Amino acid sequence: MCGKQFFNNFMEIFVPKALNIWRSRIGRAEEEASGDTYDQWERDYNLGSLGPQGLFKEYLEMTIQFGFITIFAAAFPLAPLFALINNIMEIRVDAYKFVTQLRRPYAAKAQDIGAWYGILVTVGNIAVLTNAFIIAFTSEFVPREVYRARHDSLSGYIDYSLSSFNTLNFETIRGEKGPNDANDDYPVEKGSPYYAQYFNQTVTVCRYRGFYKGPNPPYDYTPEYWTLLAWKLVFVLLFEHIVFAIKFALDYVIPDMPEHVKNTIKRESYLAQKALHDKYLQKRETEPSTSTEMANPV
């Protein structure tokens, strides 16, 4: 994500500047060939255009970045920091591009950012669920807290979280040497002399992460696995309800439009209505005298 954004910032400067230099050279050559001067308005005309899509690419870039840093925030907590650094650079890059490398775009009136707001809200809601599942199913948070609640400490948690496997149940293992003592990675079959030689060691049980029955087959899930799965789903449910409650509370406490802006808009609307009303009264006052003069000409 970071490398792609830095590359995009570089291309946003390099590509328009290279095109402008090329167009400027062509325009200057044409003017010199005709004996005219290459004026400033011609330089401005040869600058790049914003294009028919306007700010679509800028909004798309920020929306993709927002999706990365929110949906996968739990997987890479440093992503918001890199996004902040990138956005600080993005502000200056876009300012340079719009001021020096593009023709002045036509101003367009808009009430808000349009459909992008709905997209950002949807991405934010999805991010809550994905982070809840990432925390619940890819970390040890839920099993560790369940174990802590039962035993009041984490003593013995590692042994609790590991399953056992009997090494005698290996179908084939990797020996030190093959039958001809030539291949160090030759598979040792059960029943061969190398198999017995290999298992003269004291390691007979292997431990691995998970909640499976063992050390002998069948290696089915233990009841503890299903208990933890239920707790993980409960955690997801509680997590998303708490986060959504905080989100809606902040939406209510922090209005979309500040109070002083609302008051200013109401005042402007009142002054506009008052001006129309005064104009109407002024017109009414002049109408009777005009009609009387027309009825009694001199």
Side-chain angles (χ1 to χ4, degrees):
M1 181 189 74
C2 301
K4 181 179 179 181
Q5 289 180 339
F6 291 144
F7 177 76
N8 288 340
N9 288 338
F10 173 77
M11 295 300 294
E12 284 185 15
I13 295 179
F14 176 76
V15 173
K17 194 171 186 65
L19 293 176
N20 288 338
I21 292 174
W22 178 255
R23 284 191 294 262
S24 178
R25 290 184 61 182
I26 295 176
R28 186 178 291 106
E30 292 176 352
E31 294 297 331
E32 291 177 354
S34 62
D36 296 330
T37 59
Y38 190 53
D39 297 328
Q40 182 64 44
W41 69 268
E42 293 176 297
R43 297 193 189 98
D44 294 339
Y45 179 77
N46 286 330
L47 293 176
S49 175
L50 185 60
Q53 292 183 330
L55 299 175
F56 175 81
K57 292 183 179 180
E58 304 294 334
Y59 276 114
L60 180 62
E61 181 181 0
M62 291 295 101
T63 303
I64 293 175
Q65 183 196 84
F66 178 76
F68 272 115
I69 66 176
T70 54
I71 294 177
F72 306 108
F76 185 46
L78 284 179
L81 175 62
F82 287 112
L84 175 62
I85 297 173
N86 172 80
N87 289 345
I88 293 174
M89 297 174 58
E90 182 82 16
I91 292 173
R92 304 315 308 164
V93 168
D94 286 345
Y96 175 80
K97 181 178 68 175
F98 277 90
V99 172
T100 64
Q101 303 302 316
L102 296 178
R103 293 199 297 267
R104 180 180 298 177
Y106 291 104
K109 186 177 180 180
Q111 184 177 1
D112 50 32
I113 62 175
W116 293 107
Y117 177 78
I119 295 173
L120 292 174
V121 171
T122 303
V123 171
N125 293 336
I126 294 174
V128 175
L129 296 176
T130 57
N131 282 284
F133 278 102
I134 289 174
I135 295 173
F137 288 92
T138 65
S139 71
E140 295 288 328
F141 177 76
V142 174
R144 189 171 61 247
E145 295 304 317
V146 170
Y147 186 87
R148 191 199 304 270
R150 291 176 180 173
H151 302 86
D152 296 329
S153 70
L154 291 177
S155 178
Y157 171 74
I158 296 179
D159 185 68
Y160 159 80
S161 62
L162 298 178
S163 298
S164 301
F165 176 77
N166 190 347
T167 54
L168 294 175
N169 293 319
F170 277 121
E171 290 296 330
T172 61
I173 61 174
R174 314 301 285 184
E176 294 182 357
K177 293 182 181 294
N180 299 322
D181 296 337
N183 187 357
D184 291 342
D185 265 346
Y186 190 82
V188 180
E189 302 293 337
K190 182 184 287 189
S192 69
Y194 294 96
Y195 186 87
Q197 179 182 355
Y198 184 83
F199 278 105
N200 285 333
Q201 304 178 20
T202 58
V203 178
T204 58
V205 176
C206 182
R207 305 299 301 274
Y208 61 97
R209 289 182 59 186
F211 297 89
Y212 301 92
K213 296 178 181 179
N216 298 310
Y219 300 104
D220 297 328
Y221 291 121
T222 63
E224 188 66 16
Y225 170 84
W226 301 107
T227 302
L228 292 176
L229 178 63
W231 279 112
K232 289 177 180 179
L233 295 177
V234 169
F235 170 80
V236 171
L237 190 64
L238 292 176
F239 182 89
E240 57 95 5
H241 274 72
I242 292 174
V243 173
F244 280 136
I246 296 174
K247 174 181 176 295
F248 293 141
L250 291 177
D251 285 342
Y252 178 79
V253 173
I254 304 175
D256 295 335
M257 185 181 297
E259 193 66 26
H260 69 278
V261 176
K262 290 183 180 180
N263 294 334
T264 302
I265 294 175
K266 291 179 181 179
R267 175 175 172 78
E268 290 179 353
S269 177
Y270 167 75
L271 292 176
Q273 293 180 0
K274 185 174 183 301
L276 290 174
H277 183 67
D278 293 343
K279 187 69 176 179
Y280 175 76
L281 293 179
Q282 184 180 2
K283 184 178 179 180
R284 288 288 303 271
E285 290 176 357
T286 57
E287 282 181 353
S289 59
T290 304
S291 60
T292 304
E293 291 176 359
M294 293 178 63
N296 300 310
V298 178

